[in-house]
C-alpha cells in the first residue's frame, strides 16, 4: 500500500470542501484548513491556540457545548448542527461532526471537527416555513370571516396554547409549533353552513350532527403535508374528552395527542370567556370554576392545572388584553 507524505495529507485537508479543524488534547486549535479561513473570515494565525467556542454565536449556549462534550467523552464522537459566528459577526449554520483522535496505542492526541456550511439551506428552509405560516394565517382569517363571532379567538388560542405547552415542559420549538398549529383547530368549520355557526340558540340534532363533522373536515382540508402534522392532530382531536366522551372518535386519556389536549384547554377557556351568538361572556371567576369541574372529565387534568397556574400569574390575562 503506497505511503503518503505529511505534505500530501495537509494539501488534501487544505483543499477539502468542508471546514476542518484539529485541536490538541486541551481543546485548543492546532490546525484549520483554507476552507475554514474562507468560510469564517478568520486566518489560521488568528485562531491557533484558541478554543473553538470563540467562533460560537451567542445563540449557542454553554449547556449545548456541555452536552456536545459529554457525548464525545461518552462515545468518542458527536454529530449535529450548530450556529457559528464569522469574523464579521455574521452567523452561519453548520452541520458538524466532532471525533476523538487517538494514536496507534489508543492514547488521545486531539480532536477533529468537520463542518459543512448549510446556511443557504437553512435560509431556504426558513423562507419555506414563513410561507407556510402565512398560509396558516390566511386560513385562520378565512375561518374568522366564516364565523365572525370568533374575532381574535384563534389568536388568543395560539398564545394560550404556546404558553401552556411551555409550562408543561415542551421544548420551545415544539411549543411554538403547537401554538401556530392551534390556529387551525376549527378549520373544518369552513364546511359548516353559516346558519348553524351564527344560530343564536342551541342546535337541534341534525344541526349538531353537521357541526360534529368539523374535526374530520379540518383534517381533510389539511391533507397530509408534513408541515401540518401537528395541525391535523389538533384539528381532528380537540373535541375528544379525557374520559372518552368526546367526538369524533371517542379517544380518551393519553390516547388523545398532547397537542390537542393543550389546545382543548385553551379553546374551552376562550370559548367560555367570549361572547358568542348563543351566549354572553362568562366572568373569569366562573370560567375557572367550570374548568376545575371539567378537569379529568373533559380536559387533561395536568394541562388544566398548568393553565390555572398561568392564570394565577397573570399570563392569560395579559394575552386577553393584547387580543381583546
Amino acid at each position: 500500500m503506497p505511503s503518503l507524505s505529511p505534505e500530501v495529507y495537509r494539501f488534501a485537508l487544505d483543499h477539502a470542501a468542508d471546514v476542518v479543524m484539529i485541536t490538541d488534547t486541551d481543546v485548543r486549535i492546532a490546525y484549520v484548513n483554507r476552507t475554514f479561513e474562507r468560510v469564517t473570515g478568520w486566518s489560521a494565525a488568528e485562531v491557533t491556540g484558541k478554543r473553538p467556542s470563540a467562533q460560537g454565536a451567542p445563540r449557542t449556549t454553554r449547556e449545548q457545548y456541555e452536552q456536545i462534550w459529554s457525548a464525545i467523552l461518552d462515545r468518542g464522537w458527536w454529530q449535529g448542527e450548530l450556529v457559528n459566528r464569522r469574523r464579521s459577526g455574521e452567523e452561519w449554520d453548520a452541520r458538524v461532526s466532532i471525533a476523538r483522535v487517538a494514536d496507534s496505542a489508543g492514547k488521545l492526541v486531539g480532536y477533529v471537527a468537520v463542518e459543512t456550511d448549510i446556511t443557504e439551506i437553512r435560509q431556504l428552509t426558513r423562507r419555506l416555513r414563513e410561507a407556510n405560516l402565512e398560509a396558516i394565517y390566511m386560513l385562520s382569517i378565512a375561518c374568522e370571516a366564516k364565523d365572525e363571532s370568533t374575532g381574535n379567538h384563534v389568536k388568543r388560542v395560539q398564545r394560550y396554547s404556546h404558553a401552556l405547552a411551555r409550562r408543561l415542559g415542551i421544548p420551545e420549538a415544539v411549543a411554538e409549533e403547537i401554538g401556530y398549529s392551534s390556529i387551525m383547530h376549527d378549520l373544518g368549520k369552513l364546511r359548516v353552513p353559516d346558519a348553524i355557526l351564527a344560530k343564536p340558540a342551541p342546535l337541534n340534532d341534525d344541526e349538531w350532527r353537521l357541526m360534529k363533522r368539523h374535526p374530520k373536515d379540518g383534517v381533510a382540508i389539511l391533507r397530509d403535508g408534513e408541515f401540518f402534522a401537528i395541525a391535523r392532530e389538533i384539528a381532528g382531536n380537540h373535541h375528544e374528552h379525557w374520559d372518552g366522551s368526546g367526538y369524533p372518535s371517542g379517544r380518551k386519556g393519553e390516547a388523545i395527542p398532547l397537542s390537542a389536549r393543550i389546545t382543548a384547554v385553551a379553546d374551552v377557556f376562550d370559548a367560555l370567556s367570549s361572547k358568542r351568538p348563543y351566549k354572553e361572556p362568562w366572568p373569569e371567576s366562573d370560567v375557572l370554576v367550570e374548568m376545575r369541574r371539567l378537569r379529568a372529565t373533559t380536559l387533561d387534568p395536568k394541562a388544566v392545572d398548568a393553565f390555572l397556574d398561568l392564570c394565577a400569574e397573570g399570563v392569560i390575562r395579559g394575552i386577553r388584553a393584547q387580543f381583546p
Side-chain angles (χ1 to χ4, degrees):
M1 185 174 181
S3 60
L4 301 174
S5 68
E7 289 76 15
V8 173
Y9 287 111
R10 179 178 288 273
F11 182 84
L13 290 173
D14 275 342
H15 290 79
D18 292 332
V19 169
V20 179
M21 177 193 300
I22 299 174
T23 71
D24 60 19
T25 55
D26 194 34
V27 199
R28 294 190 180 275
I29 297 172
Y31 165 83
V32 293
N33 67 349
R34 292 180 182 177
T35 306
F36 174 94
E37 295 180 314
R38 176 177 57 79
V39 170
T40 71
W42 272 292
S43 68
E46 289 176 301
V47 299
T48 299
K50 296 182 179 178
R51 296 194 181 277
S53 57
Q55 282 82 53
R59 287 192 289 137
T60 305
T61 65
R62 177 184 295 273
E63 289 74 19
Q64 286 177 290
Y65 284 123
E66 290 175 351
Q67 291 170 3
I68 290 169
W69 284 106
S70 176
I72 294 169
L73 294 174
D74 180 51
R75 62 173 181 251
W77 59 272
W78 175 85
Q79 288 183 323
E81 294 183 5
L82 287 174
V83 180
N84 290 328
R85 181 171 53 88
R86 306 187 203 274
R87 194 177 191 278
S88 65
E90 178 189 9
E91 294 184 352
W92 65 286
D93 297 280
R95 183 175 294 117
V96 184
S97 175
I98 304 174
R100 299 172 74 253
V101 179
D103 62 17
S104 58
K107 180 182 177 181
L108 175 69
V109 295
Y111 301 90
V112 59
V114 179
E115 303 181 60
T116 303
D117 187 349
I118 58 171
T119 305
E120 288 188 11
I121 296 172
R122 284 290 164 265
Q123 288 173 343
L124 289 171
T125 301
R126 283 191 283 270
R127 283 199 288 271
L128 178 60
R129 180 177 180 274
E130 288 168 2
N132 281 327
L133 285 175
E134 182 64 22
I136 288 174
Y137 281 109
M138 287 190 292
L139 285 168
S140 72
I141 289 170
C143 286
E144 289 190 19
K146 179 79 170 175
D147 182 3
E148 293 181 1
S149 68
T150 59
N152 279 334
H153 170 63
V154 292
K155 297 175 184 176
R156 290 191 298 267
V157 169
Q158 176 191 4
R159 270 65 174 191
Y160 296 158
S161 298
H162 184 182
L164 179 54
R166 292 184 63 186
R167 177 52 59 96
L168 289 170
I170 294 173
E172 171 58 27
V174 180
E176 182 184 9
E177 186 174 2
I178 289 173
Y180 65 68
S181 295
S182 73
I183 290 173
M184 293 175 286
H185 67 282
D186 274 339
L187 191 59
K189 286 184 177 179
L190 288 169
R191 295 182 177 177
V192 177
D194 293 350
I196 293 177
L197 292 175
K199 185 176 181 180
L203 303 181
N204 62 38
D205 290 345
D206 290 337
E207 292 167 337
W208 185 237
R209 195 175 301 112
L210 286 173
M211 178 66 84
K212 290 175 71 172
R213 282 176 18 192
H214 82 267
K216 290 185 176 180
D217 285 341
V219 172
I221 291 170
L222 290 166
R223 300 190 178 181
D224 57 359
E226 181 180 350
F227 185 82
F228 295 109
I230 290 182
R232 285 193 300 277
E233 284 185 352
I234 294 171
N237 294 278
H238 70 286
H239 282 296
E240 301 289 3
H241 292 173
W242 183 257
D243 64 3
S245 63
Y247 65 90
S249 302
R251 292 179 176 174
K252 65 184 299 185
E254 294 187 359
I256 305 168
L258 179 56
S259 60
R261 286 181 265 146
I262 287 170
T263 302
V265 171
D267 188 30
V268 166
F269 176 85
D270 200 71
L272 294 175
S273 303
S274 305
K275 179 179 174 61
R276 292 294 171 84
Y278 52 86
K279 62 174 280 294
E280 292 298 317
W282 290 19
E284 183 177 298
S285 58
D286 291 348
V287 174
L288 298 183
V289 169
E290 180 67 5
M291 291 187 72
R292 292 186 181 95
R293 188 184 72 80
L294 297 175
R295 182 186 182 279
T297 54
T298 298
L299 303 173
D300 178 341
K302 290 183 180 178
V304 170
D305 292 344
F307 193 87
L308 293 175
D309 288 342
L310 292 172
C311 287
E313 294 167 11
V315 174
I316 302 304
R317 192 172 293 112
I319 294 171
R320 287 192 63 80
Q322 187 179 3
F323 300 101

